[in-house]
Amino acid sequence: MSVRSSSELTTAPFGTLAAPAMVVAETVDGRFGAPRVQPTGPVPLHPFAHALHYGSSCFEGLKAHRGDDGVVRLFRADRHAERLSASARRLRLPDPGPELTLAMIRETVLANLSVVPDPPGALYLRPVLMGTEPNIGAAAAPSADAVLYVVASPVGDYFAAGARALTLLVETEQPRTTPQFGQVKTGANYAMALGVTLEAKAAHGADQVLFAPAGDVQETGAANFLLLDERRLVTRALDGSFLHGVTRDALLVLARELGLEVEERSLAVDELVAAAASSEAALAGTAAVLAGVGTLVVDGVRVQVGDGNVGPTTRRLREALVAIQRGSASDPYGWTSAVG
Ligand SMILES: *Cc1c(COP(=O)(O)O)cnc(C)c1O
């Protein structure tokens, strides 16, 4: 891909444009070798590779932002690298360790600096770890070998112009994941949520499904859920049932700074429905940052959240976070790190 103007880089649908360079490291006898930079392209995989048969793969998603000052900064890459290691351990994959992952993330940004879009775009980074041992008999054995690669994609503002509020179907029967995979960023969870999400789209025009098994709110397929108003923010306390978002963590810090009372606790669907008219709701995750929710579909009934649009506290929180990511607000927590 040749260098293009920033607007061309960010009008493609999210995740469809490949940046020119990727960084790859493989294990030899279970230990990761030196990473190398190469053109983005096919990764050789033996057809017997463990990941293809037994699901031994996990990934991360994070962003590098170009500030108004031209500096490119990664946002909390250390946390993402640590989470990849946590996923690797739960999948019994060789663990590259946060240091190697972080170095490869930085190398990937460096190799693609010329295609980091101007704000509100960003360079989305996707580290992927897969079990590569060629052994289709290893159904009940871990993969001794693995490949770690980091690819990048220039992306636009997920919710550009207008920022339409989302519709969520509240699902109280089908689970998003299993108890052992709740905190693992692995494709199996997405595969499990896909059918449920497609049905919710077809039947109710829902954008996403909010999983709330037995009436206990967890999260959507790829983002954490927040119920908020100008005084307080309610979100599920950290437990094994959901993916502990880096965005969620940052937003809770910023919410406290803005004077909100943060309640990390269980939220029942009944309470959510009762509070909807006088509240805001939002989804937090790297891709969307903070996306407003305007409608819930509960037992086939549409419940409006607030006035049905993206709420004012949601906007304030989103702006506070984006300002740090772009280097236009101070970063007292050391969340950003410049590259290049
Ligand atoms: C990636 C992901 C999130 C968001 O995590 P961030 O670290 O904020 O990007 C939330 N839920 C699920 C299931 C995810 O896979």
Side-chain angles (χ1 to χ4, degrees):
M1 189 180 74
S2 59
V3 177
R4 304 188 209 174
S5 76
S6 198
S7 63
E8 275 179 293
L9 285 175
T10 53
T11 50
F14 187 96
T16 57
L17 203 58
M22 67 190 288
V23 177
V24 188
E26 283 126 7
T27 59
V28 178
D29 300 328
R31 294 178 64 95
F32 281 90
R36 54 185 194 278
V37 182
Q38 62 185 57
T40 303
V43 175
L45 259 190
H46 194 284
F48 281 30
H50 196 273
L52 299 177
H53 302 265
Y54 303 124
S56 56
S57 73
C58 53
F59 63 94
E60 272 303 320
L62 69 159
K63 281 177 176 168
H65 305 260
R66 186 184 295 283
D68 296 319
D69 56 3
V71 176
V72 173
R73 298 174 180 85
L74 277 161
F75 186 72
R76 307 193 78 178
D78 52 342
R79 294 289 288 262
H80 289 277
E82 284 161 15
R83 197 170 65 187
L84 186 73
S85 282
S87 292
R89 288 192 298 270
R90 285 170 197 268
L91 291 164
R92 309 299 194 267
L93 273 164
D95 178 4
E99 274 168 38
L100 176 63
T101 305
L102 194 53
M104 288 175 62
I105 290 168
R106 294 183 66 85
E107 196 62 41
T108 307
V109 177
L110 209 52
N112 293 298
L113 266 189
S114 65
V115 297
V116 180
D118 291 329
L123 188 69
Y124 181 77
L125 295 143
R126 175 55 71 87
V128 180
L129 178 67
M130 288 194 290
T132 51
E133 186 180 329
N135 180 357
I136 53 176
S143 178
D145 280 305
V147 60
L148 171 63
Y149 62 80
V150 184
V151 287
S153 177
V155 296
D157 197 357
Y158 209 76
F159 294 101
R164 185 180 65 85
L166 302 175
T167 297
L168 305 185
L169 177 98
V170 180
E171 172 60 59
T172 53
E173 278 162 26
Q174 309 268 24
R176 177 191 72 89
T177 181
T178 65
Q180 59 272 44
F181 274 13
Q183 292 179 75
V184 187
K185 207 167 175 76
T186 187
N189 289 335
Y190 288 75
M192 234 181 295
L194 180 60
V196 181
T197 305
L198 293 181
E199 281 162 23
K201 272 184 192 167
H204 301 282
D207 298 293
Q208 295 289 333
V209 171
L210 177 62
F211 289 91
D216 187 22
V217 172
Q218 292 178 341
E219 62 169 328
T220 65
N224 296 142
F225 181 79
L226 314 178
L227 175 70
L228 65 164
D229 57 32
E230 71 289 343
R231 287 186 306 108
R232 59 147 200 185
L233 185 160
V234 179
T235 195
R236 190 175 181 86
L238 298 179
D239 66 13
S241 73
F242 74 106
L243 205 282
H244 301 172
V246 177
T247 314
R248 169 193 177 279
D249 182 82
L251 287 166
L252 296 195
V253 171
L254 297 177
R256 288 189 181 98
E257 256 185 29
L258 292 177
L260 300 193
E261 193 145 324
V262 173
E263 299 174 19
E264 292 185 76
R265 61 169 172 85
S266 299
L267 174 65
V269 171
D270 290 346
E271 180 187 349
L272 173 59
V273 169
S278 60
S279 299
E280 304 174 29
L283 297 183
T286 293
V289 186
L290 188 61
V293 174
T295 308
L296 303 169
V297 183
V298 184
D299 291 332
V301 178
R302 300 180 89 82
V303 177
Q304 185 171 297
V305 182
D307 67 0
N309 296 305
V310 180
T313 305
T314 301
R315 287 182 198 281
R316 272 173 75 206
L317 269 176
R318 182 189 163 96
E319 278 158 24
L321 179 56
V322 164
I324 294 176
Q325 292 174 331
R326 293 184 194 154
S328 56
S330 66
D331 174 20
Y333 310 102
W335 287 339
T336 63
S337 53
V339 182

